[in-house]
Amino acid sequence: MTSPELQDAAGLPARAAALDLLNAALSRRAGLEEGLNHPSLAALAPRDRAFARALAMATLRRLGPIDAALQARLKKPPPDRIVQVLRLGAAQLLVLKTPAHAAVSATVDLCARQKGGQPFKGLVNAVLRGLVREPPELDDPDLLAPQWLAARWRSAFGPEAARAMAAMIAQEPATDLSPKDPAAAASLAARLDGQVLPGGTVRAGLKGEVSSWPGFAEGGWWVQDASAAVPARLLGIEAGRTALDLCAAPGGKTLQLAAMGARVTAVDKSAGRLKRVSENLARTGLSAEVVCADAAEWRDARRFDAVLLDAPCSATGTYRRHPDVLWVASPADVPKLAALQARLLDAAARRVADGGRLVYCVCSLEPEEGEAQVAAFLKRTPGFVLEPMAPGEGGAPEASLLPDGTLRILPHHRDGGTDGFFIARMRRGA
């Protein structure tokens, strides 16, 4: 967390950049990622850039409780831009613990800079000073998630699990890494003040810019959440065998398979995202065939010993690092994405050689994108059967194993949190 002294010193440009970032994050999918490249952010000094990012993320992580506190103090909502300004002011006061005089004064100034903002300066001042006098509770799990998602989680996983999942929203996650050489995990963890998790993921204790950490420039590891590292391990690929990674970008699973010695083909339809895959392959000294194509339409007759499909999804399981996904998702997204996943799963199945394995996964918490998707696939696709996982296999938390041998990883299943995933392993008959 940014120190109060630095927050006090951060000026209006940093807060204006945080406002741009918050607007981008809440306007569309991938808005947060795009917003991090916004010119207003790039133009800042490193310290101010770090504050702007910290402020936007603090607002997103506790957006539900912040909105509840603001709504209790507003007779009618002001224009959207002023609401965003108020959200940032509340996060400075209540989450980052910015000194009250700096937070209130700077937020009022930010309000005045907005088009039509002058008449709302008094309102912003009064609301924020009210929060100083009577600070609200910001860690209530019942407020942290959007209500429609919380209801879905209660229905799918039960009320206790749903509250535990929601509580994780407010927590800033550590950075997880996959070492190129599994035997180097312990020494890497020591260098990064971290720990080795089941399966070989290293959870770093360091904060800040990862490119400056030991081993990055030498290509000794890559950033990859502990849950995201499980699917590739479950393929059990042997050196020299062929592996296909569909919807491969940003490439963590491609790197894993290549490090295992597989002959990897990575397919993704985004040329921009594939550039990151190629850059990471070059940095780590690993090799793979990189193909820019729609996985469902790719014209290639080859079949592979192992196929991994990490399908596009609602991404609700990634909220620890991308809290904006909770607020830009809508109930209508799930059936649309489920239809796309079914098409991709059918395409992936056609690529599996006789006796080969197919691993399907999504970083979604929605059953329609996971359990229901695989059940429907097996019903319509003769020749494929589930290949159940063993408890703890691939480094997955034991609590994640379902009775049929698939995995439903929930964010609270690992101490310190983990991304939510559904993973199923299937085999084509010989």
Side-chain angles (χ1 to χ4, degrees):
M1 186 177 291
T2 311
S3 71
E5 292 77 14
L6 289 182
Q7 295 170 43
D8 202 359
L12 202 57
R15 288 168 168 88
L19 180 60
D20 288 338
L21 185 52
L22 185 62
N23 280 323
L26 295 176
S27 64
R28 61 194 175 280
R29 285 193 174 277
L32 178 61
E33 194 171 325
E34 293 171 19
L36 289 170
N37 297 314
H38 196 282
S40 66
L41 205 62
L44 296 176
R47 182 192 66 178
D48 287 349
R49 188 161 57 247
F51 170 72
R53 185 183 186 282
L55 175 53
M57 293 298 286
T59 307
L60 290 166
R61 290 192 196 288
R62 289 182 171 82
L63 189 60
I66 285 173
D67 279 357
L70 293 176
Q71 288 163 11
R73 289 164 173 79
L74 293 169
K75 293 181 180 178
K76 63 178 183 177
D80 288 346
R81 191 80 175 180
I82 306 305
V83 171
Q84 301 288 53
V85 168
L86 280 167
R87 286 167 165 169
L88 291 175
Q92 289 173 71
L93 288 169
L94 304 171
V95 185
L96 298 185
K97 306 299 183 184
T98 307
H101 67 278
V104 175
S105 174
T107 305
V108 170
D109 288 346
L110 185 61
C111 172
R113 292 284 188 94
Q114 308 310 305
K115 184 177 180 179
Q118 282 286 345
F120 295 96
K121 288 170 59 179
L123 174 69
V124 169
N125 182 73
V127 169
L128 294 185
R129 293 198 178 279
L131 294 178
V132 173
R133 290 192 300 271
E134 300 178 40
E137 169 59 48
L138 289 191
D139 291 320
D140 182 355
D142 292 333
L143 294 177
L144 282 166
Q147 291 306 297
W148 72 272
L149 270 176
R152 288 178 63 88
W153 296 349
R154 285 193 297 271
S155 175
F157 311 118
E160 185 177 343
R163 281 179 59 85
M165 290 159 62
M168 301 297 302
I169 297 169
Q171 299 183 22
E172 182 179 356
T175 300
D176 293 343
L177 315 172
S178 288
K180 177 180 173 181
D181 178 5
S187 61
L188 178 60
R191 296 170 72 194
L192 299 177
D193 191 24
Q195 60 176 313
V196 181
L197 302 180
T201 290
V202 172
R203 178 156 289 180
L206 301 182
K207 301 286 186 184
E209 179 51 56
V210 298
S211 62
S212 66
W213 293 358
F216 178 86
E218 298 83 359
W221 50 265
W222 54 91
V223 175
Q224 186 176 30
D225 187 82
S227 290
V230 172
R233 298 184 191 130
L234 294 173
L235 280 171
I237 194 76
E238 297 174 355
R241 294 286 190 172
T242 57
L244 175 62
D245 185 7
L246 292 174
C247 307
K253 299 173 183 66
T254 295
L255 296 172
Q256 283 181 281
L257 294 168
M260 294 172 191
R263 291 182 286 140
V264 187
T265 299
V267 177
D268 198 281
K269 69 177 184 179
S270 169
R273 284 164 59 80
L274 276 177
K275 183 180 178 184
R276 288 178 59 191
V277 179
S278 296
E279 288 171 351
N280 276 318
L281 285 166
R283 180 176 62 82
T284 56
L286 296 168
S287 62
E289 177 190 7
V290 178
V291 178
C292 186
D294 183 331
E297 306 294 337
W298 182 39
R299 303 294 183 188
D300 192 298
R302 286 177 291 172
R303 297 207 294 172
F304 297 80
D305 299 314
V307 176
L308 195 162
L309 171 60
D310 186 352
C313 66
S314 61
T316 49
T318 67
Y319 62 69
R320 295 163 54 252
R321 300 175 203 284
H322 303 285
D324 52 310
V325 301
L326 299 173
W327 303 100
V328 297
S330 77
D333 294 337
V334 176
K336 291 178 185 176
L337 287 162
L340 172 61
Q341 291 149 11
R343 192 162 64 95
L344 288 167
L345 195 44
D346 289 343
R350 293 192 291 270
R351 307 287 178 185
V352 182
D354 291 345
R357 279 174 165 164
L358 168 62
V359 166
Y360 169 79
C361 63
V362 282
C363 54
S364 165
L365 294 166
E366 314 318 309
E368 296 94 325
E369 300 180 77
E371 294 89 335
Q373 192 67 252
V374 167
F377 168 77
L378 290 171
K379 188 174 181 179
R380 70 175 179 267
T381 316
F384 278 88
V385 294
L386 271 182
E387 189 174 66
M389 271 77 88
E393 188 177 352
E398 292 197 12
S400 305
L401 188 63
L402 298 179
D404 66 355
T406 60
L407 291 172
R408 169 52 76 186
I409 304 176
L410 299 179
H412 65 291
H413 279 174
R414 197 184 299 278
D415 288 344
T418 194
D419 280 359
F421 258 82
F422 174 83
I423 310 168
R425 180 173 61 195
M426 294 161 279
R427 186 181 288 276
R428 180 195 282 276

